[in-house]
Amino acid sequence: MKKRFIRAAVTAALIMLMCGCGQRSGSDYIPPLTPIPTTTVQPTITGENPMTTISVTPFQTATEPVTYPADSDNVRMIGRTYRYEDTTWLSYSGSGAEFFFAGKECRITLVSDGRTAGAGHEARVGIFVDGELVQDILMTEDEMTFTVVAGEEDTVAMVRIVKLSEVSDSVVGIRSVTAIGVIAPIQKPATLIEFIGDSITCGYGVDGVLDIDTYCTGNEDCTKGYAYKTAQLLG
């Protein structure tokens, strides 16, 4: 019961901070690194330690899905990305986007460049929720939609979309994020590192079997390479 209460408090605080219905207070709006509920200290009987309680402001739970464009108002871009018309394109290994989500359901729609689908050169994409891989995707179709969070109760999660394969074969676009709830971009890190790499950097063959598998993007995963791991460890 206590765990459920704290989770509800965190959800309420995040939704209040993100200004419901996807509206922002301006281009300079920066959401917090983590959602923190309001805490108050109430004195108890003289001689005893004060009691800390969590204040929860009631909020209206979303019931209808809202489609958000994958632009800088709604998500934080990772690495080099390119916004063209209604799509955010990812090219280099490790490029992507991430955001906070609060609500019941979250779906992500991706689009392929269509150049090499079916030839072993499809873009490979990983979708992570709170650091755990929940979708490992090969873009075999022109447009694909994936459910990454779904539940009966409101939840809070950090969602990250990462292009796992290299740039020379194919690119992938984030068309939209559809949520029964709200999303907000995660705050940018204070320091950035640029990696100029090669096959090791993009995780060439890291998921392949030695002397059996031949080259294909399905064997690449940059998140298992030294550059990505270094960036993670240094924040």
Side-chain angles (χ1 to χ4, degrees):
M1 179 64 71
K2 181 178 179 182
K3 183 178 180 181
R4 185 181 300 175
F5 176 75
I6 294 175
R7 191 176 186 85
V10 172
T11 303
L14 178 58
I15 290 178
M16 288 185 290
L17 286 168
M18 292 194 297
C19 306
C21 301
Q23 296 178 350
R24 304 287 178 266
S25 59
S27 59
D28 58 348
Y29 172 77
I30 300 177
L33 284 172
T34 53
I36 303 175
T38 303
T39 57
T40 57
V41 178
Q42 298 178 347
T44 58
I45 302 173
T46 304
E48 294 184 3
N49 293 327
M51 179 177 64
T52 302
T53 61
I54 300 176
S55 301
V56 181
T57 301
F59 65 94
Q60 184 67 40
T61 302
T63 57
E64 298 296 327
V66 177
T67 298
Y68 299 87
D71 56 22
S72 57
D73 288 335
N74 298 304
V75 302
R76 180 181 85 82
M77 305 304 175
I78 301 173
R80 288 186 171 90
T81 62
Y82 181 69
R83 183 77 181 168
Y84 179 70
E85 295 182 348
D86 63 348
T87 302
T88 297
W89 291 94
L90 317 177
S91 55
Y92 288 103
S93 305
S95 58
E98 61 181 356
F99 57 89
F100 280 128
F101 163 76
K104 286 185 171 61
E105 183 177 297
C106 181
R107 302 191 303 272
I108 296 171
T109 298
L110 303 176
V111 291
S112 169
D113 60 4
R115 290 181 303 169
T116 53
H121 299 276
E122 306 93 337
R124 187 183 182 188
V125 182
I127 301 179
F128 300 80
V129 175
D130 294 333
E132 296 294 326
L133 181 67
V134 298
Q135 294 282 354
D136 188 343
I137 302 155
L138 278 176
M139 292 299 298
T140 56
E141 301 177 18
D142 291 341
E143 182 172 310
M144 304 172 73
T145 298
F146 304 90
T147 299
V148 296
V149 178
E152 295 295 327
E153 298 182 359
D154 286 303
T155 188
V156 176
M158 185 177 72
V159 180
R160 172 177 283 200
I161 307 161
V162 181
K163 184 173 186 286
L164 304 179
S165 56
E166 64 183 88
V167 62
S168 61
D169 291 271
S170 46
V171 299
V172 63
I174 307 173
R175 175 63 52 80
S176 62
V177 178
T178 301
I180 301 179
V182 291
I183 69 172
I186 292 175
Q187 190 177 41
K188 294 180 180 180
T191 303
L192 300 177
I193 304 174
E194 180 178 32
F195 292 95
I196 301 174
D198 52 13
S199 297
I200 294 175
T201 314
C202 71
Y204 170 79
V206 69
D207 286 335
V209 179
L210 185 63
D211 294 330
I212 295 178
D213 288 329
T214 57
Y215 173 79
C216 70
T217 50
N219 292 335
E220 289 185 336
D221 185 349
C222 69
T223 67
K224 297 177 182 178
Y226 291 112
Y228 193 92
K229 290 180 177 294
T230 299
Q232 277 189 311
L233 288 171
L234 297 178

